[in-house]
Amino acid sequence: MKVVIVRNKEEMGKRAAAAIAEQMRAKEHFVLGLATGSTPLPLYQELIRLNKARKLDFSTTITFNLDEYVGLPPTHSQSYRRFMNANLFDHININKAATHVPDGMAKDPEAFCEAYECMMDDVGGIDYQVLGIGSNGHIAFNEPGSSLASRTRVVQLTKNTIKDNSRFFKRIQDVPTRAISMGIGTVLDAERIVMLAYGANKADAVAKALEGPITASVPASALQLHDKVTWIIVKDAATKLQLEWGR
Ligand code: F6R
């Protein structure tokens, strides 16, 4: 694993964008795995800037998002489809038909999950997956205890995640309790992974994931099993690391 510790989230976004852009330029029909939440926003701003400056072309890019709340239509202000449109897709030259976010309104969510895995397989798998980490160590909506071999499925959110995400909803009762999420095994199938983190509230999870044992109790620790992972961590989220990690 490569670990880069940076001064601020702008630098985090620029570093991640540069790493992704390098791979994107080398392959047509590049398949990008995307995350929502506050962490990837500086990255998305930089990708938009590169696209507007004609330095990065998305016209043949295919995307798959990690997750979506069950029960939220794409038009809901907190749906991940809406988030992706507002924070990335509406501002770049991507073909929206090539952007995939799990369907939170699927009539048969289990069948949808299987189909989502097939869609990723059909395009040859994910070339570069963007991840954020939850304060409890989750990746996507794979909460502590999720199997390290898990695939895309319907998951129950923990109280911790519902509380973390309630900042985006009027009331905590409005936060959905279930989601469709790629599994840890699905994430590990990506050719390359970039994990981003900033904020003191992530410091514990970052240290456990990078320096602790590989365990289902810390889903992000599974990234230790992947040989092409880059962690880009802002220093406020790196305070609990014991090893030098290139500092
Ligand atoms: C979102 C996702 C989540 C977030 C994590 C961190 O698609 O998969 O695992 O990456 O909850 O969220 P933020 O970035 O809001 O701190």
Side-chain angles (χ1 to χ4, degrees), residues 110-242:
E110 273 77 24
F112 177 85
C113 293
E114 259 182 61
Y116 201 65
E117 290 266 342
C118 290
M119 282 190 267
M120 288 185 267
D121 277 354
D122 288 348
V123 294
I126 291 187
D127 291 306
Y128 222 129
Q129 177 67 55
V130 175
L131 293 179
I133 186 170
S135 61
N136 62 1
H138 74 210
I139 48 174
F141 273 128
N142 296 288
E143 302 286 13
S146 301
S147 159
L148 302 188
S150 51
R151 310 299 309 181
T152 304
R153 66 208 187 288
V154 178
V155 295
Q156 207 70 38
L157 307 192
T158 61
K159 280 191 186 139
N160 178 77
T161 296
I162 291 173
K163 190 170 146 274
D164 274 3
N165 291 3
S166 64
R167 66 191 194 276
F168 300 114
F169 291 80
K170 270 205 197 106
R171 305 170 312 161
I172 195 157
Q173 299 91 305
D174 297 334
V175 185
T177 55
R178 292 190 307 153
I180 290 173
S181 177
M182 282 190 205
I184 299 173
T186 320
V187 168
L188 292 177
D189 281 350
E191 177 64 21
R192 288 187 163 74
I193 297 174
V194 62
M195 166 62 103
L196 307 176
Y198 71 80
N201 62 323
K202 302 290 176 72
D204 260 330
V206 165
K208 283 185 186 151
L210 271 169
E211 296 177 347
I214 298 171
T215 166
S217 309
V218 184
S221 66
L223 298 183
Q224 295 178 33
L225 295 166
H226 196 288
D227 64 345
K228 286 186 193 146
V229 181
T230 303
W231 284 71
I232 305 180
I233 311 168
V234 176
K235 59 179 192 231
D236 58 359
T239 51
K240 306 228 165 129
L241 290 173
Q242 303 292 319

